[in-house]
Amino acid sequence: MNRDAPYTIFSLFYVLTILYFAIRPFTTRAQLILLFLPLSFVLVLTKPRRKLYPMPDKVEKAILFVLVIILILIGIYLFTQYHSLIYERKGAYSLTDYVLGAVLIVLSIELTRKEYGLVIPVFTIAFILYAYFGWLFPGFLHHAGLPIHRVISIASLEFGTGSGVLGTLPQIGISWIAIFLIFAGIAQGFGALEHIIKGAYLLVRKFRSSLPQVSVLGSMFFGMFSGSGAANAAAVGSFTIPLMKRYNIPARVAAAIEAIAGSGGQIMPPIMGAAAFLMADYLGTYYWNIALKGFLPAFIYYASVALAVYLSTRGVIKPFSEASSDFGKITGRSVLTALLPFIIGLITLIIAMGYFMLDIMLAGFLLTLSFLLTWLIQRIVTSKNRREVLKEFTRNFIDGVKAGAETTASIVTMLACIGIIVGVLTTTGLAQKISFAMVDISGGNLIILVMMAAIVCLIFGMAVTTVAAYVLTVTLAAPALQALGVPPILTHFSVFYFGMIGLITPPVAPSCLVASGIAKSGFLETCKEAIKMGAALIILPFTFYAHPELFELSLATLYDALIIGLGMG
């Protein structure tokens, strides 16, 4: 069954509408998600080269057609009924509203299962059951229970309160997060990754043990716009892991190097992971402030990873000569020229957000536009066949749009599912009860409370994505830590980093899973090596409480950051 054509059409509409919304917001984020959550589901359903269930192609095609039509109609209905849902029918929704809300709940759970596995959907279903059967639970878990229509409304229709499948999390996903995921997809479509890896090679080629550092630096630079640990490991690792194996590095070690280097993609400014955008919203601050504060911790992480990788491989790697045929004959000038669109784009972003303090969506649009224009001007100036340049531009743009739309739709779907859990936690009062219980158990001792928050986040991180672990732990632990006087920025960053540990810890460990698949090494062996080399990821969040000055940019803190990074390595 060929889905490429409809998927391309849906992707183009999806991405171009978001880009238009970035420069001319024609509605609110709350209304935009009413149309774009169903469209995100459509993109997940129609993803090419993927069977949803084991069934004949004709049956699957018919089911998909019906689902797509239903979702489009749901999106149009909700979008056009926005003002009535917010101002007229709030608390007194119609039967149609409840039915459509229930459909969105079921689809968000099922499609999250298809994209991310069973854990998040099982959590979601458990919380829905808890909301309904609250009177059956003992102790502080007990509550009166919510009627089924109330469960549906808090999980879907009450998007104005910020929770549910249409609440704040997916709203941020379809706006702030989406605009940078689209850029990442477009940059990949235009081959930025290949040139980033070549640039990393040029920086370290003079050193005997330089090859593993190509993986570290390549992942760091690629992470500046990818914002995803697993995607970083997959993109960079597809080149660096086979190369490391050919130069005598064991498969499990090569996979572990890329897993821990790729994991840093979520913390590397200026475009950090999805959780960083949620952090900005939770803290009520401009995203650029989060990016600035995240610079030094990210620098420490990569400095310590580079040192740990050097110590782990210096005795096994074969000499890596400058004339390596794997990279060909490249020069600094050629790589710099190839990376110019990417560099101009990032400079544009930094000026737009750091100097002019533009809206995040508009800054992201200018980043994408400057990248595309620079690439196009470069090719037109240096090529004699302008028609061929335009064909290449169109082909790369469409490939990038599809990549950006696929990633965005997947993350928005997951955020919608997590929104159900957040809605139940806040409505039933469970989040507040757990926070009070954590303070009581710790006896007001900050060290014990931080350890408890770390353990909670580690448990979540071992089972769900970093975004999910961050959201759930912040919802539970942030009020408790703030009650003991911990600044909110420290709480959120430490939880963010604690959640990232799940990228390399089983049973999920997505970065290790991707890297071990490329290296054809054992999954658990890769996790073991990654944990050994990724000690910084485990230790660093605790240093935030001892050194809060890490979130301030100055020469003194740069020096302290270097010392801490080398010490962790």
Side-chain angles (χ1 to χ4, degrees):
M1 180 175 60
N2 185 3
R3 303 180 189 170
D4 285 348
Y7 189 81
T8 300
I9 294 171
F10 286 131
S11 297
L12 283 169
F13 176 80
Y14 191 86
V15 168
L16 293 177
T17 304
I18 292 173
L19 291 174
Y20 178 73
F21 178 79
I23 57 174
R24 188 171 182 177
F26 51 86
T27 185
T28 63
R29 285 193 318 197
Q31 186 173 14
L32 188 70
I33 194 61
L34 300 182
L35 178 62
F36 271 76
L37 181 65
L39 285 179
S40 298
F41 291 170
V42 167
L43 285 171
V44 174
L45 285 168
T46 59
K47 187 183 297 184
R49 296 171 297 282
R50 171 187 183 179
K51 283 188 71 68
L52 288 174
Y53 302 102
M55 61 177 66
D57 281 354
K58 289 185 178 180
V59 176
E60 184 183 38
K61 187 175 181 180
I63 292 174
L64 280 177
F65 179 78
V66 172
L67 282 174
V68 167
I69 295 300
I70 290 173
L71 284 168
I72 291 174
L73 292 176
I74 290 175
I76 294 172
Y77 172 83
L78 293 175
F79 188 80
T80 55
Q81 293 291 308
Y82 168 73
H83 293 286
S84 180
L85 288 168
I86 285 286
Y87 301 113
E88 297 173 6
R89 303 208 296 272
K90 186 175 182 180
Y93 301 107
S94 67
L95 178 60
T96 301
D97 298 335
Y98 285 118
V99 170
L100 298 186
V103 170
L104 292 180
I105 293 169
V106 171
L107 283 176
S108 70
I109 294 172
E110 171 58 12
L111 295 181
T112 299
R113 183 190 70 81
K114 297 294 291 185
E115 292 288 291
Y116 296 95
L118 275 171
V119 178
I120 297 176
V122 168
F123 267 123
T124 305
I125 293 170
F127 274 93
I128 290 174
L129 294 175
Y130 171 73
Y132 184 74
F133 293 106
W135 74 87
L136 297 177
F137 289 83
F140 77 94
L141 295 176
H142 179 84
H143 69 95
L146 303 175
I148 189 64
H149 72 274
R150 180 80 176 111
V151 174
I152 294 174
S153 64
I154 66 171
S156 59
L157 299 173
E158 294 182 7
F159 52 88
T161 63
S163 61
V165 297
L166 298 167
T168 299
L169 297 182
Q171 288 173 26
I172 295 172
I174 204 62
S175 53
W176 292 357
I177 298 173
I179 195 68
F180 292 107
L181 291 178
I182 289 169
F183 168 72
I186 289 175
Q188 284 183 259
F190 280 82
L193 174 60
E194 176 188 352
H195 304 303
I196 285 174
I197 292 176
K198 289 181 178 179
Y201 163 66
L202 284 176
L203 290 175
V204 297
R205 61 182 175 175
K206 299 293 185 181
F207 302 97
R208 175 185 174 87
S209 301
S210 62
L211 178 56
Q213 305 303 332
V214 174
S215 178
V216 175
L217 288 177
S219 294
M220 183 180 74
F221 292 137
F222 185 65
M224 293 175 71
F225 68 89
S226 72
S228 169
N232 207 344
V236 180
S238 61
F239 179 83
T240 60
I241 290 175
L243 191 58
M244 284 189 281
K245 288 174 64 179
R246 288 204 299 273
Y247 279 81
N248 209 38
I249 295 179
R252 69 181 188 281
V253 177
I257 290 170
E258 186 50 55
I260 60 170
S263 297
Q266 296 199 155
I267 60 174
M268 193 65 207
I271 304 173
M272 301 163 71
F277 293 94
L278 300 178
M279 189 191 304
D281 186 77
Y282 282 143
L283 295 175
T285 187
Y286 189 51
Y287 170 74
W288 186 245
N289 295 330
I290 300 296
L292 283 177
K293 293 180 184 301
F295 171 76
L296 283 180
F299 170 79
I300 294 173
Y301 175 75
Y302 272 107
S304 59
V305 165
L307 182 56
V309 167
Y310 168 74
L311 294 175
S312 301
T313 59
R314 59 179 175 173
V316 298
I317 187 170
K318 295 190 296 187
F320 185 50
S321 66
E322 181 179 344
S324 172
S325 60
D326 296 293
F327 290 91
K329 293 183 178 180
I330 56 176
T331 64
R333 182 177 180 179
S334 65
V335 171
L336 187 62
T337 301
L339 285 175
L340 188 61
F342 177 67
I343 295 170
I344 294 296
L346 287 182
I347 291 173
T348 301
L349 177 68
I350 292 170
I351 293 173
M353 289 203 298
Y355 183 76
F356 290 104
M357 303 292 285
L358 296 182
D359 176 76
I360 294 174
M361 292 288 289
L362 181 56
F365 173 82
L366 293 175
L367 162 68
T368 305
L369 181 64
S370 60
F371 175 89
L372 292 173
L373 287 178
T374 305
W375 187 96
L376 190 58
I377 292 170
Q378 266 189 319
R379 292 304 176 93
I380 289 176
V381 170
T382 58
S383 175
K384 296 179 180 179
N385 191 339
R386 295 184 178 180
R387 179 174 294 182
E388 191 61 34
V389 169
L390 292 176
K391 287 182 180 180
E392 183 184 3
F393 177 86
T394 303
R395 183 170 58 250
N396 292 343
F397 181 76
I398 292 176
D399 289 342
V401 161
K402 289 194 290 186
E406 179 180 335
T407 307
T408 302
S410 177
I411 288 181
V412 168
T413 299
M414 176 191 64
L415 290 174
C417 194
I418 298 172
I420 298 173
I421 300 175
V422 174
V424 173
L425 280 170
T426 54
T427 303
T428 61
L430 181 59
Q432 296 91 324
K433 292 177 183 178
I434 293 176
S435 296
F436 294 148
M438 291 175 68
V439 174
D440 289 339
I441 294 172
S442 69
N445 187 301
L446 179 60
I447 296 176
I448 296 176
L449 188 56
V450 171
M451 291 295 297
M452 290 175 62
I455 291 170
V456 170
C457 200
L458 283 171
I459 293 172
F460 281 140
M462 290 170 67
V464 298
T465 64
T466 302
V467 177
Y470 166 76
V471 171
L472 296 176
T473 308
V474 158
T475 303
L476 301 176
L481 288 166
Q482 289 172 28
L484 295 185
V486 177
I489 190 69
L490 295 185
T491 298
H492 284 260
F493 259 100
S494 62
V495 169
F496 183 20
Y497 272 68
F498 283 134
M500 276 185 54
I501 301 173
L503 291 171
I504 58 173
T505 51
V508 177
S511 289
C512 289
L513 184 65
V514 169
S516 63
I518 297 172
K520 295 181 174 56
S521 62
F523 170 65
L524 292 179
E525 289 180 339
T526 300
C527 290
K528 182 180 177 181
E529 292 291 335
I531 292 171
K532 284 165 56 179
M533 285 187 280
L537 198 53
I538 300 172
I539 300 171
L540 187 55
F542 291 103
T543 67
F544 295 163
Y545 295 93
H547 298 279
E549 68 273 9
L550 290 175
F551 297 104
E552 301 174 6
L553 281 176
S554 68
L555 291 177
T557 52
L558 281 172
Y559 175 78
D560 291 342
L562 178 60
I563 297 301
I564 293 172
L566 293 176
M568 288 183 180

